Amino acid sequence: MRINLIELKKQQKGNVTVAGWVNRLRVHSKIAFIEVRDKTAVLQVVIDPGIIPRGMSLESLVEITGHVSERTTQNINPDQFLGKIELKAKNCEIISSSKELPFQINTNTLGIDESMRLKYRYLDLRSQRMRSNLILRHDLARELREYFNQRDFIEVETPALTKGTPEGAREFMVPSRLHEGSGYVLPQSPQQFKQLLMVGGIERYYQFARCFRDEDSRKDRQPEFTQFDLEVSFLNQNEIMQLIEDAIKRSISKVLPYKEIPGQFPVFTYEEVMKQYGSDKPDLRKNKNNPNELAFCWVIDFPLFERDTDTKKINATHHPFTAPNIISDKELEQSEEKLLKIKASAYDLVLNGYEIGGGSVRIADPVLQRKIFHILGLSTEEVNQKFGHILEAFEFAPPPHGGFAIGFDRLVAVLAGEPSIREVIAFPKTGESRDLLTGSPTPLLESALLEVGLKSIIKKSKKIEG
Ligand code: AMO
């Protein structure tokens, strides 16, 4: 029976059978060395060239039977987990063969043309670094789940086909076949649903939520990304910040115990941080060459509103559900200049110069929420049409609540010391939002456009315009 390579560390007697991909191959006239790799380790196999099957090349998948022996002192490889042993092969068979590789994967693939790595992502994923990144991602997700499970949070899924929640980016639209001319949008975050869960008495919610934002990709942005999203009732701003800080510290120290995490994350107001560092996501590391230093900080007291530089309209700095830090609602009836000075009960978490999360205490009063929408320039009709459902929910005794969302890809990328979140996502998109592996986005067929009713809508609107 085939065993994982890692088990050879213990089991060293008799014949064993292993299977793995050919990581390296050196064939001399009298002796050959095959480095075999499975998901657990890499092993050196010593083999008589005469029993190597024809057609074996790098990345062929092979099954080898033989016995384990200690390597001589001068042949020990201290960089390999199984570097003290080798397998003396008696039999070797090809399970499946590989065509010539488009790039080498037995080294760090970071230096290889990224478009090739993305086109052949499944090969890139065989490399050690990519595998460790996905394992780190998994381990961290497990620890965060565990932390919140122990504190009575429950994981609840929220819809992906929904109605828009403004988070500052464009939305992806999904036309509806059954309702010609109508459609869903993909959520930029589960913001409204998690607040509705609080109205539903769930009290403590989290979710690994897929979020969609139609914005230009960058090294820390993808059109489709993952948030560790949570919402909680009856806790105030400081309590929520404390909970997040504790969760992050404990989860990281379990998964990466050698990382240096400060005792207490420093807290800056937005004004302070801009004055001292000229950025709302300062990199506070003392030594930027030290890969284990993690410099977190909180930024609070953001302005509730900001003026759009192009349209000059007033926007919500976070999102419109963020509670204003005011004593009386009367403060919302002042001049625009004064409105722009109002602070939000919002908090961002920064790590090594990246914004890795943000959250706020929410408005739970429908009257106050309507006022905010009006300041943001929405008419009563628009408010009812876009947000009537959540305003109505707030008529049914909502609890005080607030929450937070960790940009999970960003957190993992910083912890892995990777330059881009693409390195910690199994199948990411390029900077131009393309998936080079499947070739999406692909042109939409006329028949598909007809089926979802888009074709007739475009014709109708062309007639009206023309
Ligand atoms: P926000 O919009 O700040 O808040 O998002 C939370 C965190 O998600 C990460 N993030 C992204 N990561 C990768 N690609 C993107 N395109 C991208 N956009 C954002 C960031 C960010 O800090 N609903 C609120 C949270 C709340 O109030 O509870 C929200 O989505 O790390």
Side-chain angles (χ1 to χ4, degrees), residues 333-395:
E333 288 155 20
Q334 311 175 87
S335 67
E336 280 201 356
E337 286 326 302
K338 287 199 172 144
L339 286 178
L340 287 166
K341 294 209 165 79
I342 294 177
K343 305 277 184 279
S345 295
Y347 29 90
D348 272 4
L349 186 59
V350 177
L351 168 59
N352 295 4
Y354 289 92
E355 180 202 311
I356 57 145
S360 60
V361 173
R362 324 295 184 190
I363 298 166
D365 167 6
V367 178
L368 175 59
Q369 186 67 73
R370 273 184 191 278
K371 277 191 184 153
I372 298 285
F373 284 135
H374 289 146
I375 291 173
L376 296 173
L378 273 77
S379 67
T380 306
E381 293 73 48
E382 280 172 314
V383 172
N384 289 341
Q385 189 265 327
K386 287 187 172 152
F387 302 108
H389 53 279
I390 195 162
L391 289 166
E392 186 175 17
F394 288 163
E395 309 271 359

Side-chain angles (χ1 to χ4, degrees), residues 165 167-168 188-192 194 211-213 215-218 220-227 229-231 318-319 322 347-349 354-360 362 402-411 421 425:
T165 290
E167 292 273 6
Q188 297 194 37
S189 83
Q191 186 59 39
Q192 290 194 55
K194 64 175 176 171
C211 304
F212 305 88
R213 299 186 186 181
E215 55 191 352
D216 296 338
S217 305
R218 297 191 199 144
D220 64 349
R221 263 195 203 168
Q222 282 274 299
E224 177 179 356
F225 65 99
T226 303
Q227 287 184 350
D229 188 45
L230 69 91
E231 195 76 5
H318 273 78
H319 50 62
T322 299
Y347 29 90
D348 272 4
L349 186 59
Y354 289 92
E355 180 202 311
I356 57 145
S360 60
R362 324 295 184 190
F404 195 76
I406 297 175
F408 190 60
D409 314 280
R410 283 191 197 172
L411 176 60
I421 61 172
I425 297 174

Side-chain angles (χ1 to χ4, degrees), residues 13-216:
K13 289 208 179 79
N15 275 345
V16 290
T17 299
V18 297
W21 284 271
V22 175
N23 201 45
R24 284 175 213 277
L25 184 59
R26 272 187 297 140
V27 185
H28 306 290
S29 57
K30 294 217 172 75
I31 191 168
F33 299 93
I34 309 173
E35 205 175 85
V36 177
R37 184 193 69 243
D38 74 0
K39 70 166 189 170
T40 60
V42 167
L43 173 74
Q44 170 159 292
V45 177
V46 185
I47 189 166
D48 174 349
I51 61 166
I52 294 182
R54 290 178 85 215
M56 191 173 81
S57 60
L58 279 184
E59 292 306 312
S60 292
L61 180 61
V62 293
E63 186 176 86
I64 301 177
T65 303
H67 72 271
V68 175
S69 74
E70 303 268 327
R71 291 199 205 182
T72 52
T73 319
Q74 69 268 30
N75 285 333
I76 286 177
N77 182 346
D79 298 332
Q80 284 182 356
F81 187 70
L82 299 177
K84 285 189 177 161
I85 58 167
E86 58 194 9
L87 190 73
K88 301 256 197 267
K90 287 205 173 72
N91 186 45
C92 175
E93 278 169 33
I94 296 179
I95 299 174
S96 65
S97 52
S98 169
K99 69 176 197 178
E100 200 181 326
L101 295 174
F103 55 87
Q104 254 198 314
I105 57 171
N106 57 13
T107 55
N108 185 340
T109 57
L110 204 54
I112 288 159
D113 174 24
E114 200 184 6
S115 59
M116 288 301 275
R117 291 178 52 213
L118 291 175
K119 181 164 189 289
Y120 297 96
R121 189 58 153 188
Y122 43 87
L123 291 179
D124 196 19
L125 293 179
R126 287 186 189 174
S127 69
Q128 183 54 45
R129 184 181 55 90
M130 292 305 291
R131 158 172 287 281
S132 323
N133 286 351
L134 292 189
I135 293 174
L136 170 63
R137 190 180 172 109
H138 163 80
D139 288 348
L140 198 66
R142 185 196 57 225
E143 291 306 328
L144 281 170
R145 279 203 167 96
E146 181 62 15
Y147 180 91
F148 287 96
N149 291 346
Q150 280 176 3
R151 285 157 185 80
D152 286 340
F153 280 72
I154 61 167
E155 183 160 17
V156 184
E157 290 153 282
T158 54
L161 293 178
T162 179
K163 189 171 160 181
T165 290
E167 292 273 6
R170 269 193 210 93
E171 287 153 343
F172 286 102
M173 286 189 288
V174 183
S176 159
R177 177 181 59 85
L178 294 177
H179 304 276
E180 190 172 306
S182 297
Y184 308 92
V185 304
L186 301 179
Q188 297 194 37
S189 83
Q191 186 59 39
Q192 290 194 55
F193 287 106
K194 64 175 176 171
Q195 292 193 242
L196 292 169
L197 287 173
M198 296 303 106
V199 182
I202 296 303
E203 196 177 316
R204 292 179 159 229
Y205 140 94
Y206 76 79
Q207 176 183 198
F208 275 93
R210 193 56 73 83
C211 304
F212 305 88
R213 299 186 186 181
D214 189 358
E215 55 191 352
D216 296 338

Side-chain angles (χ1 to χ4, degrees), residues 259-289:
K259 292 276 180 189
E260 298 152 21
I261 313 176
Q264 188 80 30
F265 300 171
V267 183
F268 296 94
T269 66
Y270 175 76
E271 228 173 87
E272 283 167 353
V273 92
M274 292 308 287
K275 207 182 266 172
Q276 281 186 39
Y277 304 102
S279 160
D280 59 359
K281 26 185 182 297
D283 187 346
L284 299 179
R285 279 175 297 173
K286 292 192 190 81
N287 176 0
K288 298 205 172 65
N289 297 321

